Amino acid sequence: MATTEILLAGFGGQGILFAGKILAYCGLMDNKELSWLPSYGPEMRGGTCNCSVCISDEPIGSPLVLTPDLLIVMNQPSFDKFVKDVRPGGKVFFDSSMIEANTDRTDISLFGIPSQQMADDNELKGGSNIILLGKLLKETNICSLDTMKKAIEKVVPPKKAALIPNNYKAIELGMNA
Amino acid sequence: MERNLMKGNEALAEAAIRAGCKCFFGYPITPQTELAAYMAKRMHKAGGVFLPAESEIAAINMVLGAASTGVRAMTSSSSPGISLKSEGVSYIAGSDLPAVIINVERGGPGLGGIQPSQADYWQATKALGHGDFQLLVYAPASVQEMVDYVVKAFDRADKYRMPAMILADGLLGQMMEPVSFPEINPDAYDKSGWAANGHKNARDHHIINSLYLKPDELENSIIERYKRYDIIKETETEAELYLTEDCDILVCAFGATARVVKSAVNTAREQGIKAGLFRPKTLWPFPVKEINEAAKSAKALLSVEMSMGQMIDDIKLAINCSKPVEFFGRTGGVIPTPAEVLAEIKRIGGTL
């Protein structure tokens, strides 16, 4: 496998960095090389927030993802900003309850699911990000379901361990969407 | 060895604790604050002292005090905060004390910005304070190297009785990568001959001082220090040479920028351009032997930096201006892209 470059983007508070961390831990669990780089600074306070994740069999060069193979996007400004940068053949996962997919690109695959709506309907408050991860897991060979479950166990802080089953459920919802 | 996933800033802190750092004094500043936060959480459990100082100036002088007693002491900051510490760094050097100073650089001058930068190269390698002195300066390019060089910085600081700096940047501080922690022996050096710790009148006083009112005494103390610097220049240089054996264009970069350059060099090679990478891991001493080795077959050199061009001076000196040295940089917190660096490589390649 060459390097898979993933970009996650949305509003601060939507769990962009958290979802990115889960992907990074998936790489760690599978003994891959990986990097996780957040945007930091004033833009995190309610503004847009994004996060670069690289997973590879080889050492990672630049950790900054400029042309993602995979894009997870959770708000309209980020969709509009980043969809043009996706590498040809790349895949975009977005929340169709928040985003209108107005792009004329035909060389990429768009996977829109109403993740925010699904999270609300299933009483998974704040689970939209993880539902999108589930969809990404289904549509790519980034890692196994088992690996992602283990990664979730690592990333959810011990104090919030009771929320792990909810995260599993969110993954499942995304995979079946 | 177990792989952990950590932010660069956290890895710096954990490595320092494992290296036997017993005193950390700091003052918050983006983008290094996670380091101090980690210390706040972990240090007391490790039997050390974490003290949030009232200012950067206070923090560096606390380091001076703690280091005087022979314990491993450290402070960290980002560019504007390091400028504030410069007086204390000079006193630490003048007192021949070991200490570790971490600079997770951001854009400057002034308050500048909070995004990654390498514009403190001159400050770190030439003049972090007044007077005749140098710091050991390490430039890690990965979270693992953050760990490895903190360990080394403490070791060499003790060995040569001088301050050592980790010159990182906001990108390395904020990113997460897998790291493992080596076994460390923090007590490798005997400090009983100079440390000003309690002795219940069992020995003569040890005096830690940087004031010499007689010029010849001051001169002698500086000459003695520079003899140590000569040994360091001879034995402590480190660099990575990547695809340099047959290169036409030698691209030089350190820290996070070197990762961007490596990506560009790989693409250049795929396109049949003979590019190589020279990455100094020690910025002082600058790896003079190593760059001359790397530049053997090169027709031109290119320095890529997150600044307006600072390391380029050391490159020209190191190769005695024997070949053209070009420059490409982004500054103010802008990170160069592999595509931009590749374009520069091609531009220079076209003129060879």
Side-chain angles (χ1 to χ4, degrees), chain B residues 25 45 93 104 127 145 184 203 219 269 296 312 347:
Chain B
F25 310 105
K45 288 179 195 152
V104 183
E145 281 193 355
I184 301 157
R203 58 159 169 79
E219 187 186 44
R269 285 275 171 173
K296 250 185 206 162
I312 186 172
R347 183 183 65 78

Side-chain angles (χ1 to χ4, degrees), chain B residues 8 27 45 47 86 105 110 118 133 139 153 171 181 298:
Chain B
Y27 187 84
K45 288 179 195 152
S86 64
E105 290 168 281
Q118 296 179 320
F133 80 93
L171 189 148
F181 292 93

Side-chain angles (χ1 to χ4, degrees), chain B residues 219-232:
Chain B
E219 187 186 44
N220 284 340
S221 80
I222 293 167
I223 289 171
E224 185 280 321
R225 199 169 296 129
Y226 271 70
K227 282 180 185 157
R228 271 180 279 156
Y229 293 170
D230 283 341
I231 297 169
I232 292 166

Side-chain angles (χ1 to χ4, degrees), chain A residues 21 24-25 27-28 30-38 40-43 60-64 66 154, chain B residues 2-5 7 30-31 105 114-116 170-171 174-178 259-260 262-263 335 337-338:
Chain A
K21 249 184 205 181
Y25 268 95
L28 190 79
D30 286 344
N31 268 318
K32 307 267 190 198
E33 299 292 337
L34 67 103
S35 64
W36 174 94
L37 178 70
Y40 65 91
E43 72 268 30
I60 312 285
S62 173
L64 192 63
L66 301 166
K154 278 272 187 187
Chain B
E2 195 199 342
R3 295 202 316 166
N4 305 280
L5 197 52
K7 269 194 167 188
T30 304
E105 290 168 281
I114 59 171
Q115 298 302 319
L171 189 148
Q174 293 295 324
M175 74 185 288
M176 284 203 301
E177 278 185 317
R259 302 173 64 125
V260 175
K262 202 178 236 183
S263 297
I335 301 166
T337 66

Side-chain angles (χ1 to χ4, degrees), chain B residues 91-126:
Chain B
Y91 277 61
I92 289 170
S95 307
D96 290 319
L97 291 172
V100 173
I101 299 134
I102 290 173
N103 183 359
V104 183
E105 290 168 281
R106 57 189 253 181
L111 272 181
I114 59 171
Q115 298 302 319
S117 165
Q118 296 179 320
D120 303 346
Y121 179 93
W122 277 336
Q123 184 195 47
T125 59
K126 313 284 179 231

Side-chain angles (χ1 to χ4, degrees), chain B residues 69-92:
Chain B
T69 70
V71 302
R72 287 191 161 178
M74 178 169 111
T75 186
S76 68
S77 193
S78 180
S79 309
I82 295 292
S83 292
L84 283 165
K85 290 181 199 288
S86 64
E87 181 199 44
V89 174
S90 174
Y91 277 61
I92 289 170

Side-chain angles (χ1 to χ4, degrees), chain A:
Chain A
M1 179 179 90
T3 304
T4 304
E5 298 189 41
I6 310 161
L7 187 68
L8 304 97
F11 288 124
Q14 283 182 313
I16 292 295
L17 301 184
F18 184 82
K21 249 184 205 181
I22 291 175
L23 287 171
Y25 268 95
C26 289
L28 190 79
M29 299 288 141
D30 286 344
N31 268 318
K32 307 267 190 198
E33 299 292 337
L34 67 103
S35 64
W36 174 94
L37 178 70
S39 60
Y40 65 91
E43 72 268 30
M44 285 171 80
R45 298 179 194 119
T48 58
C49 164
N50 66 71
C51 171
S52 295
V53 178
C54 300
I55 301 176
S56 181
D57 293 325
E58 287 150 28
I60 312 285
S62 173
L64 192 63
V65 173
L66 301 166
T67 50
D69 301 299
L70 307 173
L71 173 67
I72 288 186
V73 66
M74 294 183 69
N75 68 9
Q76 192 72 50
S78 298
F79 184 94
D80 297 341
K81 185 175 174 189
F82 293 118
V83 77
K84 63 180 187 331
D85 299 331
V86 177
R87 205 180 288 268
K91 294 172 179 171
V92 180
F93 304 88
F94 64 97
D95 178 3
S96 59
S97 50
M98 300 271 286
I99 294 166
E100 201 181 317
N102 43 5
T103 173
D104 44 19
R105 287 194 64 171
T106 52
D107 58 342
I108 56 175
S109 312
L110 297 172
F111 299 92
I113 56 169
S115 52
Q116 181 65 58
Q117 192 60 52
M118 290 162 71
D120 290 347
D121 293 347
N122 291 277
E123 293 177 353
L124 294 170
K125 191 169 166 282
S128 175
N129 56 343
I130 309 299
I131 293 172
L132 285 169
L133 271 191
K135 185 67 180 167
L136 177 140
L137 185 63
K138 174 81 183 300
E139 303 295 341
T140 67
N141 53 1
I142 194 83
C143 67
S144 67
L145 174 59
D146 191 43
T147 295
M148 192 166 279
K149 281 183 165 177
K150 279 191 202 149
I152 287 170
E153 284 167 29
K154 278 272 187 187
V155 179
V156 174
K159 266 188 281 183
K160 294 187 178 172
L163 294 176
I164 289 173
N166 280 359
N167 282 285
Y168 290 169
K169 193 176 166 194
I171 293 283
E172 207 177 299
L173 280 171
M175 289 183 81
N176 297 326

